Amino acid sequence: MSAHRGSGLTRRLVQLYGGVVLYGVSSALQLRAGLGLAPWDVLNQGISRHTGMSIGTATIVVGAAVLLLWIPLRQRPGLGTLSNVLLIGLVIDATLSLTPAPTSLWVRIPLLLFSIVLCGVATGLYISPRFGTGPRDGLMTGLHRRTGRSVRLVRTCIEVVVLATGFALGGSVGVGTVLYAVGIGPLAQFFLRVFALPEKGLPQAPEERPKVPEVALPTTPVRECPDPV
């Protein structure tokens, strides 16, 4: 039993950190494509241009700031949350340092499409182990609970505000932004199913453990058969 739990935990950690790394790679490749970024990356790039920070550092700073907003919303971060904040920005900077910016449109378009699909893969990988949501997703769910508004409305409002702020700061908005907005939801949903872990491989809260049904005992006395004459 302990060996099974150990292997299950190892798989969850591999999925978590594999997903976080691929998420950072996908963000960097979409930036290299130069055809428009995801809304939060538009904001990160805008902040980077005005502060002189690398876009990876800006990503970490923004993630930490969003995490602070969890406090009044009474959200609790997990290992996945902290890993998301700290590692994705580092991976973005590392990937940008290793990949040159393509000049041909025939390279940039496939690179854009590949980066969006890779982001969907990464999302499925790092969310499936259930180590905690990313800071931005936690902000969405926290506001949903506090305001009573639908998740769709809350998510849309957050994305619009973030995108408008990033665009005002000089972040890149383009066809890639639209494709990301349209495609990331279905892609994430698909890869969440692909990388879903069996329930028995995940820890259960005490109240979630299966209960052994109680067997009702007979309440009427059992009559003894008379001895044969």
Side-chain angles (χ1 to χ4, degrees), residues 148-172:
R149 304 295 183 181
S150 67
V151 171
R152 180 182 301 178
L153 177 61
V154 172
R155 180 62 178 262
T156 300
C157 291
I158 292 174
E159 297 287 333
V160 168
V161 170
V162 167
L163 182 61
T165 304
F167 181 69
L169 293 174
S172 301

Side-chain angles (χ1 to χ4, degrees), residues 100-139:
T103 56
S104 171
L105 190 61
W106 297 107
V107 176
R108 293 163 63 197
I109 292 176
L111 184 61
L112 170 66
L113 297 177
F114 174 75
S115 68
I116 295 175
V117 173
L118 184 63
C119 185
V121 173
T123 302
L125 275 172
Y126 93 81
I127 291 180
S128 294
R130 302 180 190 176
F131 277 114
T133 62
R136 299 154 190 83
D137 291 330
L139 176 64

Side-chain angles (χ1 to χ4, degrees), residues 6-67:
S7 62
L9 178 60
T10 300
R11 178 180 173 182
R12 293 173 65 208
L13 289 171
V14 169
Q15 284 197 203
L16 168 65
Y17 287 107
V20 168
V21 169
L22 290 180
Y23 197 100
V25 171
S26 71
S27 296
L29 294 181
Q30 189 169 357
L31 179 65
R32 282 290 186 236
L35 295 172
L37 301 174
W40 283 96
D41 286 335
V42 173
L43 176 61
N44 296 333
Q45 188 184 52
I47 293 174
S48 173
R49 288 179 173 176
H50 282 270
T51 61
M53 294 186 294
S54 68
I55 189 170
T57 302
T59 300
I60 295 173
V61 171
V62 170
V66 172
L67 196 57

